[in-house]
Amino acid sequence: MSSPARVVNLTTLTQKAFTSLLSKTSVNTSQADIQGVWNTVSTLLSKAALAPEFVPEAQALVAPTASRSISTNASSYLASLVGTAHEAATAVLCGSILGGRGSESDDYSDYAIFIGELPEGGAAGVGSKEFAEECIKALGLGRWLESSQVQIVTSKSPPLPASLDGIPEFQRDGSQAAVAQLRAELHVLQDVFECRVVTSDSGGLVLHFLLGKGEGGWQGLGGASTWAEE
């Protein structure tokens, strides 16, 4: 049986301490991505009702109720997944593979997510808007749903994120290995779905979630992007 992964309390970490910690635990992650992950998670925490825990080795936000249930096996998988996401984002020339090229800012990088077990979507079902909201609330990020619009996103090439739909194939030729590896990593998860939270009071900020069910429960990737405000 896999042992529990090490978790830390994000609220106790300064940016300097966070950067130092990830530099030691995620040695293959670039300093630009470490900075990008900090930008993303620190933004999320600004409205967190309950601060998620954090697994530095996996660059993963962990739901407050799941900090004791994420195993080292799940952590290792998420570390590989988020590393591949960063490589794919670099290959297609964007900061976040979930945010894609449509983002007005490359300041945000993707992070991993571990939520754990949840009721299977109720009457609305897994992958519904209601289930997406339950996942976000479980992470302690329910306040982001206030004055925001939750949208279920459909990819033309699941389980890959929909952001890749807008990148012409000829522009992806040099990134095929990275994108293929991301597809392989995501195929480990079941019932994969994607959603975004379009905020109305945060300067065009959009939050992205790509989730599925794996060892120990619901998990996947999160990201952020900035859209031009209309």
Side-chain angles (χ1 to χ4, degrees):
M1 182 176 179
S2 180
S3 58
R6 178 175 69 117
V7 297
V8 299
N9 188 329
L10 267 178
T11 60
T12 65
L13 296 179
T14 63
Q15 180 177 353
K16 182 178 180 180
F18 180 92
T19 300
S20 176
L21 182 60
L22 259 64
S23 295
K24 295 175 182 176
T25 58
S26 303
V27 294
N28 294 322
T29 303
S30 70
Q31 287 300 307
D33 276 325
I34 289 175
Q35 178 64 51
V37 172
W38 168 260
N39 291 342
T40 308
V41 299
S42 60
T43 297
L44 292 174
L45 288 179
S46 68
K47 281 191 177 182
L50 295 171
E53 301 286 350
F54 190 72
V55 177
E57 288 79 4
Q59 301 173 49
L61 287 187
V62 180
T65 57
S67 61
R68 295 185 179 181
S69 61
I70 179 170
S71 66
T72 52
N73 284 348
S75 175
S76 294
Y77 165 69
L78 290 174
S80 180
L81 176 63
V82 76
T84 302
H86 292 163
E87 291 174 8
T90 298
V92 298
L93 306 178
C94 58
S96 161
I97 197 63
L98 299 188
R101 292 185 182 175
S103 178
E104 300 234 321
S105 169
D106 287 334
D107 293 340
Y108 301 108
S109 294
D110 300 309
Y111 60 96
I113 289 172
F114 186 85
I115 297 171
E117 298 292 348
L118 286 175
E120 296 298 308
V126 169
S128 66
K129 175 182 173 182
E130 291 77 10
F131 186 65
E133 290 176 348
E134 287 305 308
C135 290
I136 294 167
K137 290 175 182 177
L139 275 172
L141 304 176
R143 288 179 59 195
W144 282 103
L145 300 175
E146 301 170 6
S147 302
S148 299
Q149 182 181 9
V150 177
Q151 301 173 347
I152 299 299
V153 182
T154 302
S155 169
K156 294 179 181 178
S157 304
L160 290 172
S163 62
L164 291 172
D165 293 347
I167 299 176
E169 195 68 29
F170 75 91
Q171 293 184 7
R172 289 170 54 178
D173 286 349
S175 61
Q176 287 303 308
V179 172
Q181 182 60 32
L182 180 61
R183 184 194 295 272
E185 295 273 7
L186 288 169
H187 268 305
V188 172
L189 302 176
Q190 298 178 344
D191 297 324
V192 174
F193 72 96
E194 185 176 1
C195 69
R196 59 190 174 212
V197 179
V198 182
T199 67
S200 60
D201 58 356
S202 300
L205 182 69
V206 179
L207 307 180
H208 302 267
F209 302 89
L210 182 64
L211 302 170
K213 195 166 187 182
E215 180 178 325
W218 291 92
Q219 56 200 277
L221 293 169
S225 62
T226 305
W227 290 4
E229 293 185 279
E230 299 181 355

